[in-house]
């Protein structure tokens, strides 16, 4: 899967609108940030990335509420929305994307199987949007498809305006 073209499109849309991006990642471990910073000139439109793998880091770095984690768990659209909102609050960015999921091969449950990934996209002044997808494949494949889906979601939202 080629992430470069998606990352370039994200950068072009952000640059056109004078917006800056922050990422909040769990299961992708900074891969979205890596994809966008691999694009020359990304310092114009990428501000920072949060890698919040543990629940503690989600609370400390992004302000995800204890009640949200207790009620919905780390792998949930509610947590992803709070991660995206937290990335905006704790950065200078106007746009954020968040990802949290079960990349496997272990860690899955009946209600949250391996491959379940939750996403959120947020922009200053707007309510965050979220989605959940179940990807098949090995750990690397699930993570790579998650990065692509997150970037595609950014493109779609930036093109709506």
């Amino acid at each position: 899967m080629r992430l470069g073209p998606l990352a370039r499109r994200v950068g072009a849309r952000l640059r056109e609108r004078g917006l800056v991006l922050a990422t909040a990642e769990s299961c992708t471990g900074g891969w979205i940030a890596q994809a966008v910073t691999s694009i020359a000139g990304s310092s114009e439109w990428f501000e920072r990335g949060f890698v919040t793998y543990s629940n503690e880091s989600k609370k400390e770095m992004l302000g995800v509420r204890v009640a949200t984690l207790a009620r919905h768990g780390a792998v949930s659209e509610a947590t992803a929305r709070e991660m995206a909102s937290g990335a905006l609050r704790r950065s200078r960015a106007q746009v954020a994307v968040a990802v949290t999921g079960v990349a496997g091969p272990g860690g899955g449950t009946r209600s949250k199987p391996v491959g379940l990934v939750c996403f959120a996209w947020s922009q200053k002044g707007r309510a965050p949007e979220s989605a959940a997808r179940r990807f098949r494949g090995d750990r690397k494949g699930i993570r790579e498809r998650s990065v692509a889906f997150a970037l595609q979601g950014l493109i779609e939202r930036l093109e709506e305006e």
Side-chain angles (χ1 to χ4, degrees):
M1 184 173 299
R2 304 230 16 232
L3 299 174
L6 289 172
R8 277 191 285 285
R9 284 180 62 197
V10 167
R13 298 304 175 274
L14 289 165
R15 193 171 35 257
E16 287 167 6
R17 288 159 181 74
L19 299 172
V20 175
L21 174 67
T23 59
E25 302 182 66
S26 186
C27 67
T28 49
W31 199 342
I32 298 169
Q34 189 280 328
V36 298
T37 58
S38 69
I39 305 304
S42 57
S43 60
E44 294 176 39
W45 47 268
F46 181 73
E47 206 266 333
R48 73 181 72 181
F50 298 90
V51 177
T52 55
Y53 209 67
S54 70
N55 285 354
E56 287 305 310
S57 64
K58 287 174 181 64
K59 292 184 283 188
E60 291 170 10
M61 295 175 70
L62 297 171
V64 174
R65 294 177 302 144
V66 172
T68 301
L69 291 166
R71 180 175 298 127
H72 302 285
V75 179
S76 66
E77 288 185 55
T79 295
R81 287 190 301 270
E82 288 191 21
M83 289 171 66
S85 295
L88 287 182
R89 279 193 316 277
R90 297 180 179 193
S91 73
R92 292 177 178 85
Q94 299 86 31
V95 177
V97 61
V99 181
T100 183
V102 185
T109 65
R110 175 172 273 154
S111 62
K112 295 186 181 185
V114 169
L116 176 65
V117 183
C118 299
F119 303 85
W121 300 269
S122 190
Q123 189 168 339
K124 289 241 186 213
R126 295 186 182 178
E129 297 178 48
S130 61
R133 294 291 181 274
R134 178 145 186 227
F135 299 112
R136 304 236 181 247
D138 63 8
R139 182 176 181 82
K140 182 177 185 260
I142 290 167
R143 293 175 75 222
E144 189 170 21
R145 282 189 278 291
S146 297
V147 173
F149 187 82
L151 293 172
Q152 186 61 48
L154 279 169
I155 292 164
E156 290 168 8
R157 283 152 183 83
L158 290 165
E159 288 180 347
E160 285 175 358
E161 298 180 5

